[in-house]
Amino acid sequence: LRKCMQESDDVKYRAAYKEKALEIVDTGTRYLETLLTHLEMVHKFRIEDFIGENAANYRKGLGYVGLALVSAQKIFLFLGDLARYREQINQTNNFGRAKNYYVKAQQIVPKHGKPFNQLALLAVYSVSCTFKFLYYLLTFLCITETKN
């Protein structure tokens, strides 16, 4: 849809493509946020206990909660992608919401490199070469392999 938006010469069609793309992004965001809530309810844990100041609380031996945290990390990555797509569709560069999701994903399972890769991708849209390099370097320093 983004490609159709850019290639369409008709303003009416461009607006319709944009509206549909934003609708898809919003639907996906609502679904994933509901999925996070459901994950917390089913496995009886709070994601907030494993992010922010509590990020160091991730330990081995969490059983199903540990697996649920890995799932939560993936969901936060998807939410970050959707937030990034929203900004690209609107042709704005305020990627703060996407960055917030990617940072949460990184805090949940710090050994995975994918959140750093996504943060580096956001840095490509900014002017800071230092952050681009830093996030890509952190991606390679992570223990778990990054798969695209």
Side-chain angles (χ1 to χ4, degrees):
L1 287 174
R2 285 188 302 168
K3 186 176 180 181
C4 291
M5 277 176 35
Q6 293 170 352
E7 293 177 355
S8 179
D9 294 331
D10 190 346
V11 176
K12 182 180 174 183
Y13 284 126
R14 257 189 301 207
Y17 290 136
K18 179 179 179 178
E19 182 180 330
K20 193 54 149 173
L22 289 173
E23 180 184 327
I24 291 168
V25 167
D26 290 341
T27 301
T29 301
R30 281 192 306 274
Y31 172 75
L32 291 171
E33 288 172 346
T34 302
L35 191 58
L36 274 176
T37 304
H38 184 71
L39 196 61
E40 288 178 309
M41 287 176 18
V42 168
H43 295 286
K44 298 176 178 71
F45 76 102
R46 290 178 11 158
I47 292 173
E48 290 82 27
D49 293 340
F50 296 91
I51 58 175
E53 295 176 6
N54 302 317
N57 288 344
Y58 185 82
R59 295 182 181 90
K60 290 184 178 186
L62 291 174
Y64 289 117
V65 171
L67 295 174
L69 286 170
V70 172
S71 296
Q73 181 194 44
K74 294 215 179 274
I75 292 170
F76 277 123
L77 288 171
F78 298 148
L79 284 167
D81 290 344
L82 289 173
R84 181 170 46 90
Y85 298 155
R86 169 176 273 294
E87 295 304 317
Q88 290 172 331
I89 292 166
N90 286 325
Q91 296 178 340
T92 58
N93 287 327
N94 183 10
F95 296 105
R97 190 171 181 194
K99 182 179 179 181
N100 186 34
Y101 285 129
Y102 293 144
V103 168
K104 285 181 180 181
Q106 183 274 324
Q107 291 175 345
I108 290 174
V109 187
K111 294 178 182 180
H112 289 190
K114 184 69 173 181
F116 288 118
N117 187 64
Q118 296 308 98
L119 286 165
L121 181 63
L122 286 183
V124 168
Y125 298 115
S126 72
V127 293
S128 175
C129 290
T130 305
F131 282 115
K132 293 176 200 176
F133 177 73
L134 172 68
Y135 288 132
Y136 278 125
L137 180 63
L138 289 171
T139 300
F140 295 118
L141 293 176
C142 287
I143 293 172
T144 305
E145 181 180 334
T146 302
K147 296 180 181 178
N148 291 332

